[in-house]
Amino acid sequence: MFSCWLSRLCRGLSTPTGRVTHLIQGSLSRRLMLSSQRRIPELSSFVARTNTCGELRSSHLGQEVTLCGWIQYRRQNIFLVLRDFHGLVQVVIPQDESAASVKKILCEAPMESVVQVSGTVISRPPGQENPKMPTGEIEIKVKSAQLLNACKKLPFEIKDFVKKTEALRLQYRYLDLRSFQMQYNLRLRSRMVMKMREYLCNLHGFVDIETPTLFKRTPGGAKEFVIPSREPGKFYCLPQSPQQFKQLLMVGGLDRYFQVARCYRDEGSRPDRQPEFTQIDIEMSFVDQIGIRSLIEGLLQYSWPSDKDPVVVPFPSMTFAEALASYGTDKPDTRFGMKIVDISDVFRNTKVGFLQDALSKPQGTVKAICISEGAKYLKRKDIESLRKLAADHFNQEVLPVFPKANRNWNSPVAKSIMEEQRSELIRLMEIQEDGVVLLTAGEHRKACSVLGKLRLECADLLEARGLVLRDPALFSFLWVVDFPLFLPKEENPGELESAHHPFTAPHPSDIHLLHTEPKQVRSQHYDLVLNGNEIGGGSIRIHDAELQRYILATLLKEDVKLLSHLLQALDFGAPPHGGIALGLDRLICLVTGAPSIRDVIAFPKSFRGHDLMSNAPDSLPPEELKPYHIQVSWPADSEAEKSSLNQPYHPES
């Protein structure tokens, strides 16, 4: 029966009807292929306009068009500039009596009102072209207009050069989003994410999988948001990241996972951090860290904006120990020098008391950085502020020394240093004329950390005086590897905490130290740094249940019951796996040159973690809390707020 059906089908395809069908199918496939290759999106499909305000050029002369947008500017009731997401275009307001109604609409509508205009694309009169405007060769001769929505008085002008406080911008975020810069930032973000999806899914077979945002508490790590449930005493937690889920997906055989993931941490905002943020979250089975690093380099190269200099791969790498010793941080900005130099040998026989005291201790060192042209550009108050910063934040003494300039500000210690070791110091640190040395002594890690902080502060000071140390157009990527697996807890140095997270695998060469010297164990953790900012972090994971249980219970002293589901999964044939998460907000912030990640997020939280537009978080009346078995214990100074919640609601008040 099947062979009979097949022969009839073949006969049908040999008839004229069959050939027509074949031609139609071929034509359709060609159209689909051409459509997939098309690079120019159809920005006016499905809507009332024929074109966007920013796309019209001399090639459109004579065309009848319909445009929609906001009134940006009006001049002498003759010209009007219309704006949409794509750009600006000049509209000529008709002056003749027959178009009085059109003139009335366009002349009386307040700025930022939404209008629709229809008319003809014409050339601007000779000499009136605007070369600074992409549409500056043409204008629209209006035939009809419609006021779609009149705008009331605005709290600020929609212009990028108008200064606005961040609080005001966040309160009226929907207005701030109309600005050119916010439009550029969010559209660039969208394009980069789309290219990342193409690279991961279409080119490398990743599966985009959503993971839950209602989860349970994870031991260690950042503080989590707690969500009440209707079961007495039971709570969800919002995940800091999809870490456990991505590992469980590897156990489930998904092999290659990614997600544009929402993550939550109950901590205040900073310029590069806020309570809710977005990661490009990635996990792979049967991979090592070289494979992950190559994947990410290719991902960034593929998705990088075309208006920036191309990304050059492979990225250089540096061990954690090297980064700390040379830059005083695990996220070094390698766009400029001013590296930390160990000058302990220069002062082995010094008579200077605090240097002698530091070098007599087991981990004692003398470290220094050289500020080129510091004597020329830095003032005495600058040096004193640097010393105060070191004392206040690190409890560390820092000495300024001017080896080639007679400016030691009557410091007997600095004079002693210069008399004893001037030439050796100049040779070792390659000090030029006007160079200033900032010198400190103490335990290696602490001395490096304070100089790493001062290095960045000095760069800020010098750039404020006109020197350019960090090229804003340069994107300097760096892998930092071989982190310690554990760090001593700040509040109790006798106990350990994970340097990355408790699922990070130890370095294969150091596994034998887990039982004897856990503080000496390196991890298979890697960070991606861009211009001195960590934009990604990941690791090869522990896929052996016994090893994971030992690290959690014995070394970190965590309650393994909280992770029983993960430990059980690892026992059921977990493949070796590893991954990484890129901080999308931070990456886009650096790419666009924005001062804060809040400038690349559509609706961010304020510095205190509040939504100033909707006034969240907000209070709830007791009756709405009752189903969750929650009762608020009000502080004494909040009694007024408590009583106001119990008042009847009046919409007009």
Side-chain angles (χ1 to χ4, degrees), residues 354-366:
F354 90 100
L355 298 181
Q356 201 176 51
D357 182 58
L359 291 172
S360 67
K361 294 174 181 172
Q363 292 290 318
T365 61
V366 182

Side-chain angles (χ1 to χ4, degrees), residues 29 96 133 193 244 337 347 391 443-444 511 548 588 592 610:
S29 64
D96 49 295
M133 198 171 171
V193 170
Q244 293 183 54
F347 295 99
E443 185 269 329
H444 168 75
I511 287 180
Q548 184 68 82
I588 304 298
T592 59
H610 291 181

